[in-house]
Amino acid sequence: MTRVLVAEDEPLMRERLLAMLEASWPEAQVVLVAENGNDAWDGFLEHEPEVVFLDIRMPGLSGLEVAERIGKLAHIVFVTAYDQYAVDAFDAGAVDYLLKPVEADRLAKAVGRIREKLSARPADLSDIVRHLKAALPGAPREHMKWIKASVGKQIRLIDVDRVLFFQSDTKYTRVVLADSEALVRIPLKDLLSGLDPARFWQIHRGTMVNVNAIVAAERVDAERLEVLLRGSDEKLPVSRTFAHLFRD
């Protein structure tokens, strides 16, 4: 049974897509239905689906940003209303797409192609994602520069460039600096959409590190890695999903 994740923020479109997917691919197991990009990425890490249907425009992380993070770990079908910009790019790439409003026969064709590809490695979407980011309308995202954090009785304003790593801690997120740490009530998955992905790498479902603080990735055994950071004695485990970040 193929595990499928569906990410779509419009309620009517979401229900329509799910109903048509059940009719055209009844043996597929929908492991998560996400209403925004942050939940889609978090759910991907939890359920590791083989196929992901991604709305391009969603709150939080966009579908394109989620696709960048997924990389070659799953087969992706984009859902979009931007046919003027997208069709040529999609037709030139090894990826499928659905134009809104999604029609049953078009979804059935996409499902047929995906099922044929399941035995092969997912396509590299990096080029097409870059092209679509440049072509689709919308202002560039402003990345977070400061974060408010509680330290004792104080509310501190922390420059994110000074942060060594962020780590989930039940209801809070640890913000660790070289000389101190603090707690924020912002879930890690929500920080993802605000931080610069070129500056902060997610290395585990519950951990993001400042790339500039990384000294090395140390091999623990044949399958496990740990990251060593400048200014911290903690060794941070790297999950299998993110091990590719440290390959030659």
Side-chain angles (χ1 to χ4, degrees):
M1 186 173 288
T2 303
R3 297 186 303 279
V4 176
L5 186 153
V6 174
E8 167 62 60
D9 69 317
E10 299 176 34
L12 293 178
M13 185 67 253
R14 187 167 59 246
E15 294 305 316
R16 177 182 173 89
L17 181 57
L18 288 170
M20 289 191 296
L21 187 58
E22 183 178 5
S24 63
W25 200 359
E27 65 273 27
Q29 179 188 9
V30 178
V31 294
L32 181 73
V33 179
E35 299 180 14
N36 60 69
N38 294 1
D39 287 345
W41 174 236
D42 198 49
F44 179 84
L45 295 178
E46 179 179 356
H47 298 285
E48 298 185 346
E50 288 93 1
V51 178
V52 181
F53 288 82
L54 281 176
D55 185 7
I56 282 184
R57 294 291 189 187
M58 290 186 290
L61 293 171
S62 71
L64 296 178
E65 289 169 323
V66 175
E68 280 185 307
R69 286 170 165 79
I70 291 173
K72 299 179 183 179
L73 299 174
H75 297 276
I76 291 176
V77 178
F78 286 113
V79 183
T80 179
Y82 295 103
D83 57 318
Q84 176 184 354
Y85 300 90
V87 172
D88 289 344
F90 284 130
D91 286 343
V95 64
D96 213 334
Y97 66 95
L98 299 170
L99 291 178
K100 296 182 181 181
V102 178
E103 300 297 335
D105 59 343
R106 182 67 183 84
L107 176 62
K109 289 179 181 178
V111 167
R113 282 195 284 267
I114 285 292
R115 293 174 71 174
E116 290 177 359
K117 295 176 183 177
L118 284 175
S119 59
R121 187 173 183 178
D124 183 354
L125 302 183
S126 54
D127 288 341
I128 192 171
V129 168
R130 280 195 297 270
H131 179 89
L132 288 168
K133 274 188 168 184
L136 291 175
R141 184 188 295 276
E142 283 287 328
H143 296 302
M144 186 183 299
K145 294 182 174 64
W146 305 88
I147 189 166
K148 295 178 182 177
S150 298
V151 180
K153 296 181 180 180
Q154 296 181 337
I155 302 296
R156 289 177 55 189
L157 198 59
I158 298 174
D159 183 345
V160 296
D161 288 341
R162 295 184 55 228
V163 177
L164 300 181
F165 64 93
F166 295 92
Q167 191 170 59
S168 292
D169 183 15
T170 59
K171 295 181 180 180
Y172 299 91
T173 298
R174 291 177 66 207
V175 183
V176 181
L177 290 74
D179 56 355
S180 62
E181 65 177 76
L183 296 175
V184 296
R185 292 182 179 272
I186 308 172
L188 191 71
K189 65 179 181 179
D190 291 343
L191 285 171
L192 274 170
S193 57
L195 294 169
D196 184 352
R199 176 66 61 84
F200 287 92
W201 286 0
Q202 188 168 14
I203 60 167
H204 191 279
R205 188 181 176 197
T207 309
M208 292 175 61
V209 301
N210 188 331
V211 176
N212 292 333
I214 296 175
V215 174
E218 187 175 78
R219 192 169 298 283
V220 179
D221 54 35
E223 298 184 354
R224 292 184 298 158
L225 292 171
E226 290 180 335
V227 165
L228 309 180
L229 298 178
R230 187 178 298 105
S232 174
D233 293 330
E234 294 189 52
K235 295 184 178 182
L236 305 177
V238 180
S239 69
R240 180 172 56 88
T241 302
F242 301 104
H244 68 277
L245 294 170
F246 302 98
R247 294 193 187 114
D248 293 335

